[in-house]
Amino acid sequence: MRHRIGLRIGLSALLLLGMWGGTSLAPAVASTPNPPVSPGLLTALQRDLGLTEQQARERLAQERAATALQDKARRAAGSAYGGSWFDADSGRLTVAVTGDRNAEAVRATGAATRLVQHTAEELDAVKVRIDRQAGAKGAPRGVSSWRVDPQTNQVVVDVVASLKNDSAVRAFADRARRTGSVRIRATMTEPPATFSAGTVGGDPYYTGNVRCSIGFSVHGGFVTAGHCGRPGNFVRGWDGSDMGTFQGSSFPGDDYAYVSVGHGWWTVPVVLGWGTVPDQLVRGSAEAPVGASICRSGSTTHWHCGTLLAKNETVNYQQGSVHQMTKTSVCAEPGDSGGSFISGDQAQGVTSGGWGNCSGGGQTWYQPVNEILWRYGLTLHTI
């Protein structure tokens, strides 16, 4: 019975924010078109995004519609596609395009458009050149991250404000500018770091002296952050009982891992609400657009919400660069690593790292869950 109780708490923590599913990069489709919204989720969105209850309900509905529209709008844009995002002011998906004729086709799908100079393909190529410039050793410590920003139609490189005049940071910025349309922003207050922590009693799982959080249940185990353990590392549950083993792990470069479970533990399609919201059911893994609201569950700071800020961002940790990350305005702290990011009832990813904390604020990156499922041939556990 102890293992069953442990599973409910430990594996539920894995799923708190999860909403993606499937065995490939193609997103799973939610099993219900308009699932009920829990009062706890509405309360969290009101608290963290400054919304009224009605505004929170309307935003969730608008984000669901924008998520469903993304692929159709991108096909309509064709080679003129410059990226897309959810615009909270209008409540619509906005698509950047490089030509008027393509803009008309996109608007016919129901999305708004913005004319831009560069296509997403062109900006992706610029980012790849910066990735190669950083190399395996990563960028200088004062360089936080870099990404394609569809809203400004540039590649944005974020640096730590206090280190912007460091000679190595300035040299990296100068080389980055020469790769294409690049903007340098000195907006970060501290370098990013992973959110693992030393052993503390009562947390979801332990690997050696490291505490992390479960991300999402898959058939046979769960997914979590790669920096939390290496293949072969043994895992103990929140109660100290034997739980499972890391079967695969990648960090840096990526930040994901797969842990198989046994010893009386089993998987459930649930993300733990920690008493802030009811435990959340996971119905799939459809990818939310930039600008959508998103929430995170972790064993240290429990349940917090914010906004999805950017995709395909390269994050420069002390251990090396991690690619194809998603950035959010959600806070996190040590011990939250590996925990669930969820949008509505769709799994989004597992917590990697960030800067700041949940007292003064900060930002957090996650590893998209569909890539993890594809990499290890896993199936997300959904209802």
Side-chain angles (χ1 to χ4, degrees):
M1 188 65 179
R2 179 189 66 172
H3 290 307
R4 295 191 177 190
I5 296 172
L7 171 67
R8 170 154 187 326
I9 297 177
L11 288 180
S12 291
L14 155 70
L15 298 171
L16 175 58
L17 293 168
M19 305 184 97
W20 294 8
T23 58
S24 72
L25 290 178
V29 177
S31 60
T32 57
N34 293 297
V37 180
S38 73
L41 176 58
L42 294 173
T43 298
L45 290 175
Q46 292 174 70
R47 177 197 66 195
D48 293 338
L49 297 184
L51 304 175
T52 65
E53 179 179 343
Q54 183 60 31
Q55 288 172 334
R57 289 184 182 277
E58 291 175 353
R59 178 157 179 166
L60 288 172
Q62 292 166 346
E63 290 172 355
R64 180 175 293 276
T67 297
L69 186 60
Q70 285 182 111
D71 290 343
K72 183 179 180 181
R74 179 165 188 163
R75 289 193 299 269
S79 60
Y81 179 74
S84 64
W85 61 94
F86 173 77
D87 179 43
D89 291 334
S90 67
R92 300 172 65 192
L93 181 74
T94 299
V95 179
V97 291
T98 58
D100 286 322
R101 187 173 67 177
N102 301 81
E104 292 179 6
V106 172
R107 285 193 291 269
T109 70
T113 59
R114 179 183 296 176
L115 288 177
V116 295
Q117 181 178 357
H118 305 289
T119 66
E121 184 177 4
E122 291 169 344
L123 294 176
D124 286 342
V126 173
K127 181 182 176 294
V128 168
R129 289 193 284 271
I130 299 176
D131 286 339
R132 291 172 179 166
Q133 173 184 306
K137 293 183 179 179
R141 186 63 175 143
V143 178
S144 172
S145 61
W146 51 96
R147 68 188 183 279
V148 171
D149 181 7
Q151 292 172 276
T152 63
N153 199 227
Q154 295 174 306
V155 173
V156 175
V157 178
D158 284 320
V159 301
V160 179
S162 62
L163 298 174
K164 66 180 181 180
N165 293 322
D166 176 82
S167 59
V169 172
R170 293 177 65 179
F172 184 91
D174 289 341
R175 291 195 302 271
R177 288 190 183 98
R178 291 195 290 270
T179 64
S181 180
V182 173
R183 176 188 179 193
I184 311 298
R185 299 195 320 168
T187 58
M188 307 295 287
T189 59
E190 59 186 83
T194 57
F195 284 129
S196 58
T199 300
V200 177
D203 294 303
Y205 81 88
Y206 308 96
T207 304
N209 66 345
V210 172
R211 169 171 62 87
C212 282
S213 301
I214 296 171
F216 294 97
S217 283
V218 296
H219 291 285
F222 63 84
V223 293
T224 187
H227 68 264
C228 292
R230 311 306 300 169
N233 285 168
F234 196 72
V235 171
R236 291 172 288 120
W238 68 272
D239 59 354
S241 64
D242 295 345
M243 187 179 195
T245 305
F246 274 81
Q247 298 296 327
S249 176
S250 180
F251 179 79
D254 307 294
D255 195 5
Y256 52 63
Y258 164 52
V259 177
S260 62
V261 300
H263 309 283
W265 295 76
W266 65 93
T267 64
V268 290
V270 173
V271 172
L272 190 64
W274 295 101
T276 300
V277 299
D279 292 353
Q280 302 293 295
L281 297 175
V282 178
R283 291 184 168 90
S285 60
E287 183 179 347
V290 169
S293 62
I294 193 165
C295 298
R296 178 194 57 74
S297 177
S299 62
T300 299
T301 57
H302 300 170
W303 180 271
H304 286 273
C305 299
T307 303
L308 199 158
L309 299 176
K311 297 183 181 183
N312 191 24
E313 186 156 3
T314 298
V315 182
N316 187 46
Y317 293 129
Q318 186 174 10
Q319 301 94 328
S321 296
V322 178
H323 307 287
Q324 296 179 320
M325 302 290 277
T326 299
K327 181 164 69 176
T328 76
S329 64
V330 187
C331 67
E333 295 180 9
D336 288 327
S337 276
S340 319
F341 265 92
I342 195 168
S343 180
D345 59 3
Q346 301 295 300
Q348 300 297 305
V350 300
T351 302
S352 173
W355 63 272
N357 54 53
C358 290
S359 297
Q363 296 176 335
T364 303
W365 286 270
Y366 66 77
Q367 173 81 59
V369 71
N370 281 335
E371 181 181 356
I372 312 173
L373 301 176
W374 174 83
R375 172 63 179 82
Y376 295 116
L378 302 171
T379 301
L380 186 68
H381 195 161
T382 61
I383 61 171

